[in-house]
CSV table of all heavy atoms in Angstrom, one decimal:
chain,number,residue,atom,x,y,z
Z,129,ASP,N,116.3,119.0,128.9
Z,129,ASP,CA,115.4,118.0,129.4
Z,129,ASP,C,114.4,118.6,130.4
Z,129,ASP,O,113.2,118.3,130.4
Z,129,ASP,CB,116.2,116.9,130.1
Z,129,ASP,CG,115.4,115.8,130.6
Z,129,ASP,OD1,114.3,115.6,130.1
Z,129,ASP,OD2,115.8,115.1,131.6
Z,135,PHE,N,107.2,121.1,130.5
Z,135,PHE,CA,106.1,121.5,129.7
Z,135,PHE,C,105.2,120.3,129.4
Z,135,PHE,O,103.9,120.5,129.4
Z,135,PHE,CB,106.6,122.1,128.3
Z,135,PHE,CG,105.6,122.6,127.4
Z,135,PHE,CD1,104.8,123.7,127.7
Z,135,PHE,CD2,105.4,121.9,126.2
Z,135,PHE,CE1,103.8,124.1,126.8
Z,135,PHE,CE2,104.4,122.3,125.3
Z,135,PHE,CZ,103.6,123.4,125.6
Z,262,ASN,N,62.5,106.0,121.3
Z,262,ASN,CA,61.7,105.6,120.2
Z,262,ASN,C,62.4,105.0,119.0
Z,262,ASN,O,61.9,104.4,118.1
Z,262,ASN,CB,60.8,106.7,119.8
Z,262,ASN,CG,61.6,107.9,119.3
Z,262,ASN,OD1,62.7,108.1,119.8
Z,262,ASN,ND2,61.0,108.7,118.4
Side-chain angles (χ1 to χ4, degrees):
D129 181 24
F135 181 69
N262 59 331

